[in-house]
Amino acid sequence: MSSQSAALELNKGSEPGRGRTEGEDHSTAWLENQFSVGDFVKIQRAFEPLEPGQTIPMSREEFMQRMTEIVGWGTKEEYGKLFDKVDVAQDGFITWDKLTSFMLLTLYENDERAKATAVPQWKDLKFLPVKHKDTIQKVIFLKNSSRYLTISEEGLLGIWGENLKLQQTFPITSDATKLKHLWVTSLVSLENVNKIAVAFTSKEICFYDLLSKEQFPCQYKLQGLKGTPICMDYWYDPLDDNKSILSFGDITGKVQAIVFTTALISLFECPASACENEEATVTINWAELLSGYHKCCYTLEHKLHRGEWVRQVTYNASLDAIISSTTNSTNTVVLAWREKPKKHLQMTSFNIAQGIHAFDYHSRLNLIATAGINNKVCLWNPYVASKPVGVLWGHSASVIAVQFFAARKQLFSFSKDKVLRLWDIQHQLCIQRIACSFPQSQDFRCLFHFDEAHGRLFISCNHQLALLAMEREASKRVKSHKSAVTCVLYHSGLRQVISSDVGSTVCFWMIDTGQKIKQFTGCHGNAEISTMALDANETRLLTGSTDGTVKVWDFNGYCHHTLNVGKEGVVDILQILVLKKTILVTGWDRALTVFRPQNFNQFSVYPEEWEGGIQHRDDIICAAFLPPQTLATGSYDGEIVLWNNSTGNAHYVLHPDYQRLLQSKSDTSPQNLLSAARSCSSHPTAEQATLGASSYEAGTECDNAVMRLCFLEARKNVAVTGGANLVSCGGSGYVRLWDTFKKQLLAEFLAHSGVGSIIMATDKLNRYLATGDLDGCLKIWNIEEYCLNSSKSRITQAPTLIRSFQPHEDQIRSLEMCAPGGSSLIISCSADCSVCVTDVCGAPVYIFGQAKHWQIESCFSFPKKDNNLMESEIQEESIRETASLSHEESCLDPAEHSLLDKKDKDEPTYNVRSSEVINLATKYKERNIYKKKTHNLYSSEVLQKSSSVFRSLSIGVLKELPEVNKPAFLQDPEKYFREEPEEACPQTPELPSLSETLKAVFVEKNLFPKDFLDRERRAKQLCQETSSEVNIKRNKKQL
């Protein structure tokens, strides 16, 4: 696809039948992929012999003829191609056994191909409530007890249930030495003997018994190692639990292994005194193992890494070799194996430029994947050390971890810029990219562990532990897109819904019927479209992608501009905010990225500097604008910064736990910011100031990340009357309402519990608020009367819940509310590849792309406006104007406000219950009546107690007017409208001639451009030449 235009595809229906439809893969159109069970039964009967024990072979011509007749569909040419595929040996005939063998092999290949290309869907990144204070060194899963273990540098061991609930934590140490003098370097599980082995910086390896009722006691302590072990691996023979190997590497470059031969009986030789006291720790010296004192085990070692730290070591049974790696470019990866007659290890090495951080081996594919410091992921054949068999490009930073997804023949890779990629090994392509939202830190250590059995991916950054849980396989529900949908918009002028997906496709749907009318494919190549936006006139579509660009499109699929947000780098664009004179882009930096449309002179546009500088402490996630000049931005650490969009100055910071005033642009240091806070008690602690840090109280996550911001623009008088005018959501499912004029958090309520961060949307009238979570659940709240007044105490009671349902099976990625025809509709898109629409009243959920189209008038309820309703609206508007005109007078006497507040409390509220079916027309009338009463009271009180010049006016009921006589032209129309005789029309005076009124000489050359006159002159000349030629020919004919 070209860089300036996307492929425009019209949605064309396909005829029913078994033939291949447009856009379908050729492999799915083959006969072997279309046979049903009934078709196989028919084919089997055709091959059945008359007598048992015999086989009926068929020639090519016979097979083509009989299959066409028996199966009943398909052409002879297609059956001929199927025959040629089965008859590989070209015998000229096939049997039922040959055909079934071919079919089974084909189905197996199709299944493997589907697994390799399937892209897993993940839930949102979730931080687990760890109690570790130092770097987490290892995460392992115990199959026997279905528990997870985590261990950190300070020696704190965490025990987790299979449901990832933290069950217990306790310190683990090898002796009475204080923990601050002892670091844990690695942890492995000895599952065949129910033990764990822990390596320490004291050059010890301790073995702990997992079957003990109390805290794990130390059973063996291996001392006397020459170097500190920093990585370990354990393997045992599943056919013989007595055979196992513990391998480890140290900081001196040694790779050593202990081969156990009677592991079930005892790992080491125990003295008699230790056998009597089972709780005593048996101390083993490394020299004893080297000397062969312990008959139940022996050791192996090599020093080929020559002083370099051994970063990873593992034993693989299929290769029968120990694999180890370092960050050095020489002898980067070493394979060491022992031939039975010999005692020493045989070795082969791989030299990789700049070294590697980690590796993984896939036994079925016979491939070694290496995480290169040079940003490359290389695939190696273990028997070919000269060059890799494949190189996976795409990371923009050093790769620090790799791990195979064995069941799908895919590969995970994780880089230092916290980007996770999933690769298709067969095609060597990246099929998924996930940017992890870890806090920014210059010095950090990451741990990567994928639990394939449970579909859980653990990623740690220093002392934090994050979880990416794989979603269950999607059902066979209708899909609007082929891949996960990322964003949805509504175009009010065209009455169309616009949706985008991770496959860089944009689709356009009719809101009235749900029909797809067109789609743009490959808008950003293979990069994911993360967000979209429409300009103010809804004539241009802006798409933001993970490739670091924002493209400006028209609705014919032509790209007019490319905005280079990342300056040729890869960034995560989370939101595009289009204002009158600027375009703001957020998502990967602590500062806003600004583009000005008046400077769009070229196709490729680069950003300008944001005048306000950096005021956030973490990456900006979202932004919202309130005319005329208020801009709000929310970041990952929960802070909301209020800006003056005209000047670019930031003047205040809002946070659920504190607020602070920003004095100037230069006042951005943490010390100055904290000193400007209102009170010392409201200052953020050091842990709160740590960007993105997640704290937990009583097992509840307190994550304040701001995922969405929305101004309540319909509330016009908030500056005077008070109340909330800004809504934020995210964090742990909380929705918060703010008063930006008084810089106050008025209300917060838990909209979704236990599902992590949420997103939201509101309608233009700010009557309804829709929230969606990671499980695909959607809730609709009535916020029309919520937080209309200021309050000293924070409101925690949620507004009226109108509707709660689950339209999606996976995470809701985007929400949009619209009102075509007057009915409030909610449009949602999800990672389950669907785009849904419903309304607030409880209508069914319709999916864009479903076979049966809908009619919006019959599917959703619309308010019917009668004459009485229109009259009440006019009266309400008149009362509102009267109240606004008298507002200045009412402010003179504060008693009116208290009286009004009292009356509001006495009046019945019209909240909507979730169990009721809402009638929008009825509620609309009730709301008008309620407002009418309120304004009548307000107006009468003001007029009675005002002290202005109008106090003497007497307002009462209007008197009836006397009967009005009909005018004379109605009583005697003949007199006024009879036809009169025609009279001669007065002559129009002649206008003076042009020569008399012309004040200057008319020159044609001064009036028209030169090129216009030249074209006219050449046209006249050509006409004269043509006419002369015609006359000459005519004269010749006459002669």
Side-chain angles (χ1 to χ4, degrees), residues 152-166:
S152 53
E153 277 187 351
E154 78 272 19
L156 188 66
L157 184 69
I159 305 173
W160 305 73
E162 193 172 7
N163 57 356
L164 294 178
K165 297 294 183 182
L166 185 60

Side-chain angles (χ1 to χ4, degrees), residues 13 218 231 330 379 492 551 776 791 823 832 847 864 979:
C218 180
C231 57
T330 304
L379 304 175
S492 59
K551 293 189 177 182
S791 175
S823 178
D832 63 1
I847 304 177
K864 297 180 180 179
E979 296 182 359

Side-chain angles (χ1 to χ4, degrees), residues 206-380:
C206 298
F207 298 83
Y208 298 88
D209 186 13
L210 298 179
L211 298 179
S212 175
K213 296 181 180 179
E214 300 178 358
Q215 294 182 355
F216 305 155
C218 180
Q219 190 172 5
Y220 300 102
K221 184 191 300 182
L222 179 59
Q223 296 180 336
L225 298 173
K226 300 300 181 182
T228 301
I230 57 175
C231 57
M232 293 193 300
D233 178 72
Y234 185 78
W235 169 89
Y236 69 93
D237 190 349
L239 302 178
D240 185 2
D241 290 344
N242 280 311
K243 297 180 181 179
S244 58
I245 299 176
L246 175 66
S247 54
F248 55 93
D250 60 24
I251 61 176
T252 64
K254 284 186 180 180
V255 175
Q256 302 167 97
I258 305 174
V259 182
F260 300 101
T261 56
T262 59
L264 293 179
I265 301 173
S266 179
L267 293 178
F268 305 99
E269 300 288 345
C270 298
S273 59
C275 296
E276 295 177 359
N277 186 5
E278 296 181 355
E279 297 181 359
T281 301
V282 179
T283 303
I284 309 296
N285 195 282
W286 180 250
E288 297 177 1
L289 295 179
L290 295 177
S291 64
Y293 171 77
H294 296 267
K295 303 301 181 183
C296 54
C297 61
Y298 61 91
T299 61
L300 301 171
E301 68 175 29
H302 75 79
K303 305 178 182 179
L304 193 58
H305 291 297
R306 298 171 184 173
E308 294 292 333
W309 285 29
V310 181
R311 299 293 180 176
Q312 185 179 350
V313 63
T314 184
Y315 171 80
N316 187 269
S318 60
L319 294 176
D320 193 19
I322 301 173
I323 311 174
S324 57
S325 67
T326 66
T327 55
N328 193 16
S329 57
T330 304
N331 298 330
T332 310
V333 178
V334 174
L335 272 69
W337 68 95
R338 179 186 179 188
E339 297 179 358
K340 290 184 179 180
K342 301 179 181 179
K343 295 182 179 181
H344 300 286
L345 293 173
Q346 303 295 320
M347 290 170 286
T348 182
S349 62
F350 297 76
N351 297 327
I352 304 175
Q354 300 183 27
I356 65 172
H357 282 120
F359 67 87
D360 195 19
Y361 176 72
H362 196 298
S363 57
R364 291 178 59 188
L365 297 177
N366 195 29
L367 287 176
I368 299 176
T370 57
I373 299 178
N374 57 359
N375 307 350
K376 301 178 186 177
V377 177
C378 296
L379 304 175
W380 303 81

Side-chain angles (χ1 to χ4, degrees), residues 853-913:
H853 295 160
W854 61 80
Q855 296 297 327
I856 190 170
E857 294 84 3
S858 59
C859 295
F860 305 111
S861 61
F862 289 86
K864 297 180 180 179
K865 291 190 177 182
D866 54 11
N867 295 332
N868 295 331
L869 182 61
M870 294 177 65
E871 182 180 354
S872 96
E873 288 180 352
I874 296 173
Q875 293 176 359
E876 179 187 354
E877 183 66 24
S878 175
I879 294 171
R880 185 184 298 112
E881 292 178 359
T882 305
S884 62
L885 289 173
S886 306
H887 176 72
E888 183 179 356
E889 303 171 14
S890 66
C891 293
L892 299 176
D893 189 355
E896 276 82 9
H897 294 287
S898 60
L899 181 60
L900 180 60
D901 294 340
K902 182 178 183 302
K903 183 64 179 178
D904 289 339
K905 295 178 182 179
D906 296 337
E907 286 291 336
T909 58
Y910 295 92
N911 292 333
V912 185
R913 298 179 181 177

Side-chain angles (χ1 to χ4, degrees), residues 510-526:
M510 293 298 297
I511 188 68
D512 296 325
T513 61
Q515 181 183 6
K516 182 165 68 173
I517 56 174
K518 60 184 174 182
Q519 71 178 18
F520 305 156
T521 59
C523 295
H524 289 262
N526 296 325

